[in-house]
Amino acid sequence: MAVELLGAPGSPYTRKTLALLRYRGIAHRMIWGSHMQPPAGYPIPKVKLLPTFYFGEGDAREAVVDSTPIIRRLEAEHPGRSVLPEDELLGFLDLLIEDFADEWMTKMMFHYRWHFASDAANAGPLLIFWQSPTYPDDQAKQMADGFARRQIDRLYVVGSNDITAPIIEASYARLIGILDRAIARTGFVLGTRPSAADFAIYGQLTQLGIVDPTPAAIMARSAPRLRAWLDRVEDLSGLPDGAWLDHEALGEQLGELLTEIGRVYAPFLIANARAAAAGQSDFATEIDGKRWTQPVFPYQAKCLVTLRTARAALSAETRDRLDALLAGTGCEAMFAEEAVA
């Protein structure tokens, strides 16, 4: 029985999971469309997001969103070609990097798509015609203009504003260089085979490196290897089985990436979690030596809890190895007792 999913090419999480399904060889049926107009007769999830996965058939069909638990469910139900390392240390690092891609890199994606007028003008029509190529021109223009206005008005929700823009843009410039160097060494983040983290990174970069003109030009100019990697990861169904990194290679392979996570994502997660715990609606903190301000994001407060819980569940030996690897990167602050005090 094929897995069904509703999604759109402009959704990084759709691209993340679709590429993963191809790599893992899981039979699937891709339904292109909008979460606001789910297929007739299909269940509606509690929160309408893309992609929406449909498991089961008929009256037993279930609508599920949130790519990270979906990937874990697919692992349980479809053996082989796993994207989750069995090794405890690698498994945690995969979760950390996937979370960074899903929750911080999406700030880059949303920022570049809607902060610059030329990118917004490019995205509006695409997002409408990705839903359906048969919309009449006048209707499509009206829909595109309305959608773009709503998204631009929502920029502040994800933390994109005039204060934070330089932080986001500098992080993107550093990150694509870091990733370009990482794939030059092993092909993927955690070895010669892709992990969930690779697909999460890929999903965000399909938009930043391909769809949206401003960040795509930056990537083409400064990280051509990474740009080419995106086209390959789109369909890895024929990739031979590879290997995960040895522990001894983790420092060299991940040092720069972990430092970037510690530089920008760790202080955001901590400040957001503290503000959420205090019942605040907005918060301000310092990221990369500059002021950052945005509304509290409750889901990302849960992300910090998930990471802390996952670290606590590690064996003592693995936790010590992890802490040694994270020491000095800034990531260690997420796991200090005072992180959410």
Side-chain angles (χ1 to χ4, degrees):
M1 181 173 62
V3 173
E4 296 179 295
L5 65 156
L6 170 69
S11 155
Y13 306 100
T14 297
R15 302 288 288 269
K16 169 188 178 181
T17 51
L18 181 57
L20 182 145
L21 290 169
R22 290 170 175 157
Y23 168 71
R24 297 202 57 221
I26 297 173
H28 58 278
R29 192 170 79 93
M30 184 70 237
I31 306 169
W32 295 117
S34 167
H35 58 296
M36 302 310 295
Q37 298 173 321
Y42 280 62
I44 298 174
K46 293 180 180 178
V47 180
K48 291 182 179 181
L49 295 172
L50 293 182
T52 301
F53 271 66
Y54 302 105
F55 293 98
E57 294 181 310
D59 292 340
R61 187 181 278 128
E62 178 187 7
V64 181
V65 298
D66 196 341
S67 61
T68 297
I70 285 171
I71 289 172
R72 274 75 189 162
R73 178 168 178 169
L74 291 170
E75 290 276 336
E77 297 181 0
H78 299 271
R81 299 274 277 184
S82 176
V83 297
L84 302 178
E86 293 183 1
D87 179 87
E88 264 199 323
L89 180 56
L90 290 175
F92 180 87
L93 293 168
D94 178 54
L95 178 65
L96 173 61
I97 298 167
E98 181 187 9
D99 187 68
F100 166 77
D102 284 346
E103 307 301 331
W104 179 264
M105 289 181 67
T106 198
K107 295 181 184 299
M108 301 174 184
M109 190 281 294
F110 206 83
H111 168 77
Y112 274 110
R113 175 160 293 173
W114 302 114
H115 182 76
F116 298 101
S118 59
D119 293 83
N122 173 74
L126 286 175
L127 291 164
I128 299 306
F129 288 127
W130 275 328
Q131 293 180 30
S132 172
T134 61
Y135 285 124
D137 289 349
D138 290 348
Q139 181 185 359
K141 185 179 187 310
Q142 184 178 8
M143 294 172 68
D145 290 347
F147 187 83
R149 280 195 301 271
R150 290 193 298 273
Q151 296 302 91
I152 292 168
D153 288 344
R154 291 185 68 253
L155 275 170
Y156 78 98
V157 175
V158 299
S160 170
N161 53 59
D162 290 340
I163 294 172
T164 63
I167 301 171
I168 295 171
E169 293 169 19
S171 182
Y172 174 67
R174 288 191 303 269
L175 180 62
I176 58 176
I178 291 167
L179 294 172
D180 197 83
R181 290 186 287 276
I183 63 174
R185 288 188 289 267
T186 58
F188 300 98
V189 172
L190 291 176
T192 58
R193 58 187 289 181
S195 68
D198 287 287
F199 290 107
I201 291 167
Y202 159 81
Q204 302 297 332
L205 291 183
T206 58
Q207 312 304 307
L208 288 156
I210 299 174
V211 175
D212 300 312
T214 297
I218 296 169
M219 184 185 294
R221 182 172 61 250
S222 61
R225 178 186 288 105
L226 182 63
R227 173 59 187 85
W229 182 82
L230 298 178
D231 295 325
R232 289 170 55 87
V233 177
E234 180 178 0
D235 191 342
L236 294 174
S237 57
L239 183 75
D241 292 342
W244 301 117
L245 286 171
D246 293 331
H247 286 187
E248 293 73 22
L250 290 175
E252 178 184 2
Q253 175 70 351
L254 297 182
E256 282 189 296
L257 180 54
L258 292 174
T259 298
E260 183 63 23
I261 295 172
R263 182 174 184 169
V264 292
Y265 189 46
F268 161 77
L269 274 187
I270 293 168
N272 181 70
R274 286 175 176 167
Q280 298 172 217
S281 59
D282 300 84
F283 70 94
T285 190
E286 184 176 289
I287 295 179
D288 197 19
K290 301 177 181 67
R291 186 169 183 261
W292 178 281
T293 180
Q294 75 160 84
V296 169
F297 207 126
Y299 181 85
Q300 291 168 342
K302 295 178 182 177
C303 292
L304 181 57
V305 172
T306 297
L307 291 172
R308 289 170 64 89
T309 301
R311 177 187 171 277
L314 299 173
S315 68
E317 179 182 1
T318 300
R319 194 160 51 245
D320 288 345
R321 288 182 176 179
L322 172 67
D323 292 348
L325 183 65
L326 298 184
T329 65
C331 291
E332 68 273 20
M334 291 187 284
F335 308 109
E337 287 304 316
E338 61 272 17
V340 291

